[in-house]
Amino acid sequence: MVVNQTELQEEIMQIPKWWSYPEGFEKLIEKAHELGKKELLPRASISDKECRYPRESLQAIADAGFGAVTIPVDDGGLGAGLTGFALLAESFSQYCASTTMCWVMHTAAVQTLYTAGTREQRQRYIPGVLKGKIGALAFSEPATGSHFWNVVSSAPRKGNGYLLNAEKSFVTSAGEADWYIVCTNYPNSIEDDPLMFLIVDHNQKGIEYFPFSAMGLRGNSSGPMKFKDVFVPIENRLGTEGGMNVYNENVIDPLFLLGTSACWVGIAQGALNAAIDQAKKKVHKDTGKSVAGYQVIRHELAKAQILIDSARSMLYRTAEGMDQCLNSGKELSECLYPLWELKTHAADIVIQVTNQALQVSGGRGYLTGQVEKFLRDGRAGAVMGPTNEILREWIGRTLIGVPWFE
Ligand SMILES: Cc1cc2nc3c(=O)[nH]c(=O)nc-3n(C[C@H](O)[C@H](O)[C@H](O)COP(=O)(O)OP(=O)(O)OC[C@H]3O[C@@H](n4cnc5c(N)ncnc54)[C@H](O)[C@@H]3O)c2cc1C
């Protein structure tokens, strides 16, 4: 029987584009994937092997106009909103998760600076960011671990500034960023909470960086940092002397939870795409069937895609909800509950899907390469703060009608 290829093609179900991505962002997605293929993917495995910071890839992202995606166009940003941010993070992470994670933290840092900063601070930092300078968030401390909102470090006043002493356990882009937003306590705060944010430039005296050696996201440089008697001038304080927890809930957590969730969805999709590709190509001589020709394998692929799409649907529903919230003048803290569910789910499914992708790829999937790298990179999701245990507790508390925050 002669199979007519055109007829066969016509019988293949076309997945509607709206199912995967919100409408109106087609050009942005296309540009992100072009950039991913051309700039991020070729450097991804070397960055992983050598724990090399993906500076060139981050520079390429800035050169493409994605250095300040959430900042309004009038202030020099891309004005792509949180939906654009999520779309870019999901797309980039299919090519290089380390680059994407650094970029997500950078974007959250830039948005924090923009929201909490003065006009002068914006003018001092945003132009550099557009040219490729990198920002980072130094929050988590060894003393309080996952409870990154409860830091123990402090920065009392000294002359026309503050004397910062802090130990940080994980800082993505440590030693590589151009500036850090350091979360610390102001001991004499009269605000509701003592949290204070200081912008610390990378070349200030008294900063020490330590290497990052991890299972995945190995290019991230997410190592510890120490700030010993670092003098931070008063003009580098963001917002008030204490009282900055409100920015955790309205800027940092929302952007961080959304951006990292997008990474986990992208990693899961990248792993599944690689597995599908291999399953179609590998043909067993004895049965004459490809791996994809076995029904049990196709079911595994289907189960994995359904999991990804469940997280992806939550991702874009949440991102669009956040944009609507901002456009109607509301606070992003109103979106925390959906973000908690989203992050927990995305970080759970990436573990499951990357495992399925490895299984479908067989022994070749276990060899050092694309699929096992996706598995290692994706495993970070559940342990990155707020960790999945903490988020489930907050969700559970909300469900039984008690305050989520102790
Ligand atoms: C790759 C990577 C990049 C990171 N980048 C940054 C960054 O740029 N900036 C930054 O500030 N931080 C960063 N972090 C830190 C991150 O946000 C978490 O703070 C950190 O991963 C928590 O690890 P820990 O060892 O301190 O956990 P621990 O606090 O020691 O937790 C150990 C276990 O106990 C559980 N647990 C802890 N507290 C509770 C609780 N109250 N209830 C129930 N269970 C609990 C945790 O879920 C976990 O399973 C990064 C971490 C990683 C892995």
Side-chain angles (χ1 to χ4, degrees):
M1 191 179 80
V2 181
V3 182
N4 182 329
Q5 284 301 323
T6 320
E7 270 176 26
L8 197 68
Q9 205 63 35
E10 277 169 7
E11 282 170 19
I12 296 172
M13 174 59 74
Q14 297 302 307
I15 304 169
K17 288 215 166 69
W18 61 260
W19 175 235
S20 304
Y21 302 106
E23 287 178 299
F25 289 89
E26 293 73 14
K27 282 207 172 116
L28 190 74
I29 299 174
E30 203 180 308
K31 200 170 164 189
H33 281 278
E34 263 172 36
L35 192 69
K37 275 182 212 136
K38 194 166 155 247
E39 299 284 351
L40 273 50
L41 185 62
R43 302 188 191 102
S45 85
I46 192 86
S47 166
D48 176 61
K49 255 186 226 138
E50 298 178 5
C51 290
R52 191 191 292 178
Y53 189 70
R55 183 159 294 283
E56 295 91 342
S57 300
L58 287 162
Q59 186 61 52
I61 289 180
D63 292 344
F66 302 138
V69 289
T70 56
I71 304 300
V73 176
D74 287 350
D75 291 311
L78 190 69
L82 294 164
T83 308
F85 169 48
L87 279 162
L88 288 167
E90 195 219 310
S91 309
F92 292 158
S93 59
Q94 297 184 27
Y95 303 96
C96 179
S98 286
T99 306
T100 315
M101 190 52 70
C102 297
W103 178 78
V104 162
M105 300 309 247
H106 158 81
T107 305
V110 172
Q111 184 64 33
T112 307
L113 189 141
Y114 181 81
T115 316
T118 60
R119 203 180 157 78
E120 184 280 322
Q121 286 169 331
R122 289 178 184 178
Q123 283 169 352
R124 199 153 28 106
Y125 287 95
I126 305 286
V129 157
L130 297 173
K131 288 190 192 125
K133 294 239 189 271
I134 299 293
L137 295 169
F139 278 54
S140 311
E141 299 190 348
T144 47
S146 313
H147 310 156
F148 58 85
W149 52 91
N150 271 342
V151 294
V152 298
S153 65
S154 71
R157 276 298 282 264
K158 185 175 187 231
N160 212 12
Y162 303 89
L163 201 62
L164 172 66
N165 276 288
E167 267 192 54
K168 298 292 172 182
S169 43
F170 297 88
V171 181
T172 294
S173 299
E176 303 286 349
D178 296 283
W179 48 269
Y180 302 85
I181 296 179
V182 180
C183 176
T184 189
N185 290 303
Y186 179 62
N188 304 318
S189 179
I190 52 161
E191 307 288 342
D192 287 346
D193 64 84
L195 289 190
M196 178 164 73
F197 293 175
L198 299 173
I199 313 172
V200 179
D201 292 319
H202 73 107
N203 53 3
Q204 276 181 251
K205 227 177 113 209
I207 309 179
E208 263 189 280
Y209 308 102
F210 301 88
F212 178 63
S213 172
M215 170 183 178
L217 296 177
R218 289 166 55 77
N220 258 17
S221 190
S222 297
M225 286 179 75
K226 268 189 195 165
F227 299 82
K228 194 159 179 261
D229 291 335
V230 175
F231 178 76
V232 184
I234 204 156
E235 61 267 21
N236 276 22
R237 188 190 74 224
L238 279 179
T240 44
E241 284 181 329
M244 295 302 281
N245 194 36
V246 66
Y247 288 92
N248 271 341
E249 289 179 18
N250 282 301
V251 187
I252 295 173
D253 285 6
L255 264 85
F256 172 76
L257 287 166
L258 185 75
T260 54
S261 299
C263 280
W264 314 131
V265 172
I267 289 172
Q269 189 66 70
L272 184 59
N273 290 348
I276 292 173
D277 193 44
Q278 294 193 18
K280 280 161 71 177
K281 280 186 192 146
K282 172 85 184 264
V283 179
H284 290 145
K285 276 225 163 103
D286 54 343
T287 62
K289 281 189 174 176
S290 69
V291 170
Y294 303 119
Q295 193 180 38
V296 68
I297 296 289
R298 293 198 295 268
H299 284 203
E300 214 50 38
L301 300 178
K303 283 193 278 183
Q305 189 61 59
I306 293 167
L307 281 177
I308 297 170
D309 284 330
S310 66
R312 185 182 276 135
S313 298
M314 288 169 85
L315 175 68
Y316 293 117
R317 177 138 189 244
T318 310
E320 289 184 312
M322 290 166 81
D323 278 331
Q324 277 165 17
C325 200
L326 285 181
N327 292 339
S328 53
K330 294 185 193 153
E331 302 279 14
L332 282 183
S333 56
E334 290 192 22
C335 305
L336 283 175
Y337 182 84
L339 281 160
W340 299 339
E341 281 198 14
L342 163 67
K343 190 266 172 170
T344 316
H345 188 52
D348 277 343
I349 70 106
V350 72
I351 297 174
Q352 201 170 327
V353 170
T354 50
N355 257 313
Q356 288 170 300
L358 192 147
Q359 190 65 25
V360 165
S361 306
R364 286 158 305 131
Y366 187 69
L367 298 179
T368 303
Q370 217 186 1
V371 172
E372 65 81 42
K373 179 178 177 305
F374 278 125
L375 186 144
R376 289 187 287 105
D377 287 342
R379 188 60 186 83
V383 294
M384 281 179 76
T387 64
N388 279 18
E389 286 73 24
I390 290 177
L391 288 178
R392 279 192 209 98
E393 177 61 11
W394 290 348
I395 293 168
R397 282 174 163 268
T398 304
L399 294 180
I400 60 162
V402 299
W404 60 278
F405 202 70
E406 282 178 305

